[in-house]
Amino acid sequence: MQQAGSSASETEVTWEDQQNINKFGRLNNRLHEVEDEIKIAKETNESLEDAGNELILTDEDTVRFQIGEVFAHVPKEEVESRIEEMTEKTSKNLVKLEEEKESIVAQMAALKKILYGKFKDSINLEED
Amino acid sequence: MSTSAGLTDRRGIPAAPFVEDVQIYLSQLNLDVNSALAFLQERLQQYRVVEMKLLAQQRDLQAKIPDIEKCLDVVATLQSKKGTGEELIADFEVSEGIYSRARIEEAESVCLWLGANVMLDYSCDEATVLLQKNLENAKASLEVLVADLQFLRDQVTITQVTIARVYNWDVHQRRLQQTTATPSES
């Protein structure tokens, strides 16, 4: 977890500096959350792809498709279209998450520049 | 003065005052450096306790939301089968590893588990409305919770920075005292 640690120095910390440090902390937390969500979305996509492949291989007309806690008997075509729908939804979500991640990384880089510029060695903004 | 812009508490979480000048802050508190540091550390601990609580609540809500969405899915599926006269055949778990087959015809109503050992019968439409409302409430609560956590983490950061600054100020003061003390030696 990044912390603002300081060595003995004269530099005064203004309210604006404090707000920048707070913002950096918030962004860092959000970055970790987004990275976790991206991982889950990628895994879901993979599972859906595996399911789609299995579907092509099977010769049954009815597939047990999980809805809620039960496995409903659903005709193959309906399962195919459901899986397609779910894949599209997950992919869109993944794109959105990746964009958010990029934006966060950019904002953090900008804040690093400002904070290192003022505090130089007195502040540590790296992951340990 | 040692108060910050916008010092407002949030839902029981005390805001951490931003310190403009360490010396003025210490004289206002009327504490020596070590007591001030101890006080700030204690504050930090209290914040951590609240953070744990909020994180647990967040985890619960994050688990609840997909559950509600699954229920909505089931009700929607039952509703879509209603007009067609088709029956829905489903395999469900009776016990771990043991499944049984159910045939569901013309689902007029569904039973919803409301908690506290209470289960009520609802028509499909009513059930959808109720579940939808629960979902929205859960999402709204989650949003508020996330904002609380952000506020809390900000206060933690402010307190950590204050601790570092008080400590550094103290080190600086001692250095000054040392340099003023030595010239008196002959």
Side-chain angles (χ1 to χ4, degrees):
Chain A
M1 242 270 275
Q2 278 137 320
Q3 284 185 333
S6 319
S7 55
S9 81
E10 289 277 8
T11 333
E12 274 310 308
V13 180
T14 65
W15 176 232
E16 195 187 322
D17 294 327
Q18 182 66 68
Q19 284 181 304
N20 278 343
I21 297 174
N22 287 353
K23 185 157 175 217
F24 187 83
R26 283 197 197 196
L27 286 172
N28 188 41
N29 282 327
R30 182 64 196 143
L31 181 66
H32 287 298
E33 283 176 14
V34 169
E35 283 177 340
D36 284 340
E37 286 176 29
I38 287 178
K39 200 172 111 190
I40 294 177
K42 283 194 175 154
E43 283 171 11
T44 311
N45 252 348
E46 263 184 53
S47 301
L48 287 170
E49 207 185 306
D50 288 343
N53 291 340
E54 284 294 331
L55 204 58
I56 298 172
L57 294 173
T58 184
D59 51 0
E60 292 178 29
D61 291 323
T62 315
V63 183
R64 287 168 202 68
F65 186 79
Q66 183 178 20
I67 302 180
E69 296 295 324
V70 303
F71 295 90
H73 290 209
V74 183
K76 202 162 142 183
E77 302 86 45
E78 200 184 317
V79 177
E80 263 174 32
S81 54
R82 281 212 192 207
I83 291 192
E84 241 181 74
E85 218 184 286
M86 285 164 76
T87 313
E88 210 191 300
K89 209 170 76 162
T90 322
S91 300
K92 272 202 198 137
N93 191 29
L94 191 61
V95 165
K96 201 176 73 156
L97 286 172
E98 299 270 11
E99 278 174 6
E100 189 181 348
K101 179 175 164 181
E102 265 181 52
S103 151
I104 293 177
V105 167
Q107 286 181 61
M108 280 171 74
L111 279 174
K112 266 195 189 179
K113 235 168 114 181
I114 297 175
L115 288 170
Y116 277 142
K118 175 155 185 197
F119 294 108
K120 299 187 198 27
D121 283 335
S122 303
I123 195 168
N124 174 30
L125 298 169
E126 308 306 317
E127 294 279 347
D128 38 30
Chain B
M1 293 303 117
S2 67
T3 46
S4 68
L7 180 66
T8 35
D9 299 347
R10 187 192 161 96
R11 286 171 26 113
I13 306 171
F18 175 68
V19 172
E20 293 283 355
D21 183 299
V22 179
Q23 186 142 15
I24 299 179
Y25 175 70
L26 286 174
S27 62
Q28 270 197 339
L29 276 189
N30 212 7
L31 288 173
D32 65 305
V33 175
N34 286 331
S35 312
L37 283 175
F39 165 71
L40 288 168
Q41 289 285 14
E42 206 193 301
R43 258 302 172 83
L44 203 61
Q45 275 306 97
Q46 290 169 340
Y47 282 143
R48 293 271 186 233
V49 167
V50 177
E51 189 180 2
M52 290 290 117
K53 200 176 74 167
L54 289 180
L55 280 174
Q57 284 179 346
Q58 185 186 28
R59 271 194 298 268
D60 285 340
L61 275 174
Q62 282 175 331
K64 208 165 128 180
I65 288 175
D67 272 349
I68 304 179
E69 287 174 341
K70 274 197 230 171
C71 292
L72 275 169
D73 219 358
V74 174
V75 177
T77 309
L78 287 174
Q79 267 189 313
S80 68
K81 289 280 186 184
K82 238 169 46 164
T84 65
E86 275 174 38
E87 48 191 23
L88 179 69
I89 304 186
D91 296 339
F92 64 98
E93 197 175 32
V94 179
S95 175
E96 191 160 339
I98 305 178
Y99 291 77
S100 178
R101 193 153 293 171
R103 184 185 304 151
I104 308 171
E105 305 168 356
E106 281 305 315
E108 285 300 331
S109 65
V110 288
C111 297
L112 290 180
W113 178 265
L114 300 178
N117 285 341
V118 174
M119 184 180 255
L120 279 188
D121 211 54
Y122 287 91
S123 75
C124 285
D125 291 321
E126 286 172 341
T128 310
V129 166
L130 181 67
L131 287 171
Q132 202 51 46
K133 195 174 73 124
N134 285 352
L135 186 63
E136 276 157 23
N137 286 346
K139 286 189 176 170
S141 298
L142 189 61
E143 254 183 63
V144 170
L145 202 68
V146 165
D148 281 349
L149 267 171
Q150 284 188 328
F151 174 79
L152 183 66
R153 290 200 176 116
D154 279 354
Q155 307 318 303
V156 167
T157 311
I158 295 177
T159 311
Q160 287 173 327
V161 170
T162 307
I163 290 176
R165 288 170 64 205
V166 167
Y167 181 78
N168 291 347
W169 179 86
D170 185 46
V171 168
H172 188 63
Q173 291 300 104
R174 288 174 200 267
R175 273 214 209 121
L176 284 181
Q177 281 169 1
Q178 277 188 338
T179 46
T180 47
T182 39
S184 63
E185 292 182 341
S186 56

